[in-house]
Amino acid sequence: MRWIQAAGRGLLVLVVVLTGYVAAGAQAGEPSAGSRGPLTLATAGDLTGYLGPLLEGWNRTHPGEKVTLVELPDSADETQAQMITDLRDGDRSRFDVLNIDVNWTSEFAAAGWIRPLPRDRFPLKTFLQPVVDTATYDGQLYAVPYVTNAGLLLYRKDVLAAEGVDPPRTWAELERYARTIAPKHGLGGYAGQFLPYEGLTVNAAEAVYSAGGSILGDEGERVTVDSAAAREGIGFLARGVREGWIPREALTYKEEESKQAFQDGRLLFLRNWPYAYVGASAPGSKVAGKVGAVPLPGPGGPGTSVLGGSNLAVSAHARHPDSAARLIAYLTGERVQRQVLTRGALPPVRADLYRDPALIRRFPYLPTLRTSVLAAAPRPKSPRYDQVSLVVQAVVNDAMAGRQTPAAAVRRLARELAVISRG
């Protein structure tokens, strides 16, 4: 099964490939059989139709721990709402294992809806280490990373080669090429996901982080956004629209719209997730064979991406928590993680896969993606993350649309986030 909700939540994806018993599950410990039994796995809608057959592989080898799939809506927001409704039912909850967006972990943990997990039960040391932080809250592990993601800068390598320049490493280079080279070739300069939705929160956070700033600290209890770095980051985005090297149309882009614009040959540069590289490079794309990818640039060199992806968590009301943990260990084992990449072209969390020569030949962006993930940071952690994100979207949209200066936007953002942090 693959479900994809590319709504700025970091290409929220679950890919489950079950092909036999994985050592990680066997080594996770063997508590009493009484804590084992059937499970329900809750995820967003299966868009490809192959999850059912694959889950049959687990069910054949674990007849006493069969998994039933519950598909929720494709929309991440609707999925989150339905999960929360179910979890609030307490002992009547249907769900045992939850596939949650990485930025839901803090909210679910703070509310007591998911169980803390023992770190030694899962192969965390084999993961790309920044992804582990997305699964923690208040110093405790509450989920296990399953799929990761980081933003990349896609570029037209044919156009840059014709101009004799390397891909940009800094904002200044990006601005200069987007302002001067793009028009010569009939292209828009630079775009990201700038519609006021979760994707704009991601793009704004990346700009602030890349400039050396932050938005919240102390698990959302402290507001840190009122800084020169935040003004620089939001100013970079606002300046692009004002000067025209970010097309005004980009203010309407989500992941798919921006991917399509690049894939149709209308942009020189695009910030997006790796799936956009795969699509733009596929047969039928107008830019197939002409696409390169580098880490996001920052003011003085490589910038900082926001981490995306999904984590697997155990409901606080799981009927058989040991079986739930065994399933999660299974899904994060090397064999399944390898197939997350080879069957889904999706970023696994296992670090060794990013150095596999055969995989790199098939997925040439892997070294760049590894660099981006290792330099990435989570979105602002807060038990009231949805409110935080809505405020960021509204304020940054006003700044990019020219309704507020970046300095005024940062001051307003600090005030509104302070209200949220006080509850």
Side-chain angles (χ1 to χ4, degrees):
M1 182 287 281
R2 179 173 65 184
W3 76 265
I4 300 176
Q5 173 56 41
R9 295 183 181 275
L11 186 62
L12 180 57
V13 179
L14 175 63
V15 178
V16 180
V17 181
L18 304 176
T19 56
Y21 192 73
V22 178
Q27 296 169 356
E30 300 293 335
S32 64
S35 61
R36 297 181 185 174
L39 299 169
T40 299
L41 171 65
T43 185
D46 180 357
L47 300 183
T48 58
Y50 67 89
L51 176 59
L54 292 173
L55 284 176
E56 291 174 5
W58 166 270
N59 290 341
R60 280 194 301 270
T61 56
H62 300 77
E65 301 171 287
K66 289 188 175 181
V67 180
T68 299
L69 175 67
V70 175
E71 292 186 49
L72 303 176
D74 297 340
S75 162
D77 289 342
E78 292 181 44
T79 292
Q80 182 185 25
Q82 290 201 20
M83 283 185 177
I84 290 173
T85 297
D86 182 88
L87 292 166
R88 284 174 172 163
D89 277 346
D91 291 340
R92 294 175 296 175
S93 172
R94 297 174 295 154
F95 305 152
D96 300 300
V97 179
L98 306 164
N99 179 60
I100 60 176
D101 186 284
V102 292
N103 65 295
W104 301 350
T105 304
S106 294
E107 178 184 2
F108 282 33
W113 294 329
I114 54 179
R115 291 173 177 261
L117 299 171
R119 288 177 177 266
D120 60 1
R121 181 122 198 216
F122 306 99
L124 301 180
K125 291 182 179 179
T126 68
F127 294 172
L128 293 168
Q129 286 307 292
V131 307
V132 178
D133 191 36
T134 71
T136 66
Y137 176 71
D138 199 23
Q140 172 71 56
L141 186 74
Y142 276 92
V144 180
Y146 184 67
V147 173
T148 190
N149 233 325
L152 301 177
L153 181 71
L154 308 188
Y155 66 94
R156 287 285 299 277
K157 61 183 181 181
D158 59 325
V159 173
L160 295 193
E163 296 291 330
V165 299
D166 293 327
R169 287 178 47 85
T170 67
W171 283 349
E173 290 175 345
L174 175 63
E175 289 186 36
R176 184 166 67 252
Y177 300 161
R179 189 174 58 250
T180 60
I181 294 175
K184 289 172 58 178
H185 295 264
L187 301 172
Y190 171 70
Q193 295 71 54
F194 299 141
L195 184 76
Y197 80 118
E198 182 65 19
L200 182 54
T201 300
V202 168
N203 280 253
E206 288 174 340
V208 172
Y209 294 170
S210 294
S214 61
I215 296 174
L216 295 175
D218 300 331
E219 307 288 356
E221 297 302 316
R222 185 164 55 92
V223 176
T224 58
V225 74
D226 194 357
S227 66
R231 290 187 287 275
E232 182 179 12
I234 294 174
F236 164 73
L237 297 175
R239 183 169 65 252
V241 180
R242 185 177 69 250
E243 296 181 355
W245 48 268
I246 293 179
R248 185 160 287 273
E249 182 185 2
L251 298 179
T252 69
Y253 286 170
K254 296 194 287 186
E255 275 90 352
E256 277 298 305
E257 291 86 353
S258 62
K259 168 181 168 289
Q260 197 63 50
F262 185 81
Q263 194 168 308
D264 288 346
R266 292 188 277 129
L267 290 170
L268 179 57
F269 299 112
L270 172 66
R271 179 266 172 228
N272 212 322
W273 309 102
Y275 93 109
Y277 177 99
V278 175
S281 302
S285 166
K286 293 181 181 179
V287 297
K290 303 174 183 178
V291 181
V294 292
L296 298 176
T304 301
S305 171
V306 158
L307 283 167
S310 64
N311 297 332
L312 298 172
V314 178
S315 167
H317 304 287
R319 296 164 295 168
H320 303 289
D322 183 55
S323 290
R326 281 161 52 80
L327 176 63
I328 292 173
Y330 181 99
L331 296 176
T332 53
E334 194 274 344
R335 189 181 304 176
V336 172
Q337 283 285 298
R338 179 177 293 271
Q339 295 193 50
V340 165
L341 176 62
T342 59
R343 296 195 183 192
L346 300 166
V349 296
R350 302 280 297 222
D352 55 342
L353 300 179
Y354 289 79
R355 294 191 176 95
D356 187 303
L359 293 178
I360 293 171
R361 284 193 296 271
R362 184 170 172 183
F363 304 97
Y365 60 85
L366 281 180
T368 297
L369 179 57
R370 177 180 179 275
T371 298
S372 295
V373 171
L374 290 176
R379 269 163 277 185
K381 287 190 176 184
S382 171
R384 293 172 286 278
Y385 177 79
D386 283 354
Q387 297 175 53
V388 169
S389 182
L390 287 172
V391 167
V392 172
Q393 296 164 32
V395 172
V396 176
N397 177 253
D398 280 349
M400 294 186 71
R403 292 186 290 268
Q404 197 164 33
T405 67
V410 169
R411 290 194 298 270
R412 174 184 157 202
L413 188 54
R415 289 194 305 270
E416 297 190 17
L417 290 177
V419 173
I420 293 172
S421 69
R422 290 195 294 268

